[in-house]
Amino acid sequence: MVFTVHLYLMLIPVFIQVVRGCPNGWTEYGDSCYMAFFDTQDWSAASTTCHEKNSYLAEVGDEQENGFLTRLVSTHQSHESYWLGGNDIFVEGDWRWEESHLVMNYTNWRHGQPDNHHNHNDDCLQAQFTGYTFMWSDVPCTANRNYICEASRGNWIQLG
């Protein structure tokens, strides 16, 4: 009986979390939870931090999701840049999402981007919040940026 009560008490927060959706601080959109982080890091460190939180750098599938991310960060800061999960690290010009490994079918590149500026290995995707939308550009992965993590539905209860 005592074991049953303890097990029941341990499962209540998990059940509540599943029913409620995203954990505190994360915002739900579609089948994912998102959180913007403002401790600037290089792309690799930001990706690692997301993975430590059972998530990954955000992957943007369409214009509506890009608009959602714009609204997500608009309440925090303006004219800031954020890492997203895209890169062309392995093959120049072959932009893929890090987590899914899929080719980026939707993009919102700034005019003239991506440009691999003067062959400086601009291999990572940043989205700059302009006050109205996210415009994308390729920049060196060693630059420090804010970042946005995304967690799929199956990882919601594990977010930290």
Side-chain angles (χ1 to χ4, degrees):
M1 175 68 176
V2 172
F3 175 75
T4 304
V5 171
H6 285 286
L7 181 61
Y8 175 73
L9 291 175
M10 288 174 45
L11 291 176
I12 288 175
V14 172
F15 176 74
I16 291 171
Q17 196 66 39
V18 170
V19 171
R20 276 192 347 193
C22 297
N24 190 27
W26 292 76
T27 303
E28 184 176 350
Y29 178 81
D31 288 337
S32 295
C33 294
Y34 299 82
M35 182 181 276
F37 292 88
F38 304 103
D39 58 322
T40 60
Q41 299 183 20
D42 66 37
W43 191 87
S44 180
S47 177
T48 297
T49 299
C50 289
H51 284 114
E52 289 170 351
K53 297 179 180 307
N54 295 303
S55 60
Y56 47 90
L57 286 171
E59 298 186 358
V60 184
D62 55 36
E63 185 176 0
Q64 291 75 27
E65 188 174 10
N66 197 62
F68 161 77
L69 294 176
T70 302
R71 292 185 300 280
L72 178 71
V73 302
S74 68
T75 59
H76 298 286
Q77 298 184 9
S78 61
H79 304 288
E80 297 290 332
S81 296
Y82 298 81
W83 288 127
L84 298 178
N87 70 70
D88 71 343
I89 292 171
F90 298 109
V91 177
E92 184 61 37
D94 182 22
W95 285 90
R96 294 183 178 267
W97 296 114
E98 173 199 26
E99 184 70 14
S100 67
H101 307 289
L102 297 174
V103 171
M104 294 170 33
N105 289 322
Y106 167 81
T107 61
N108 197 38
W109 295 112
R110 250 183 215 291
H111 179 71
Q113 293 290 328
D115 65 357
N116 199 33
H117 187 66
H118 300 295
N119 294 316
H120 282 115
N121 296 321
D122 289 1
D123 292 328
C124 289
L125 173 63
Q126 77 168 3
Q128 184 173 13
F129 177 61
T130 63
Y132 302 103
T133 187
F134 264 149
M135 297 301 297
W136 301 1
S137 57
D138 61 336
V139 296
C141 301
T142 55
N144 287 322
R145 300 286 186 263
N146 300 312
Y147 52 100
I148 301 173
C149 296
E150 175 180 354
S152 58
R153 184 178 297 273
N155 290 331
W156 287 6
I157 60 174
Q158 299 173 17
L159 293 177

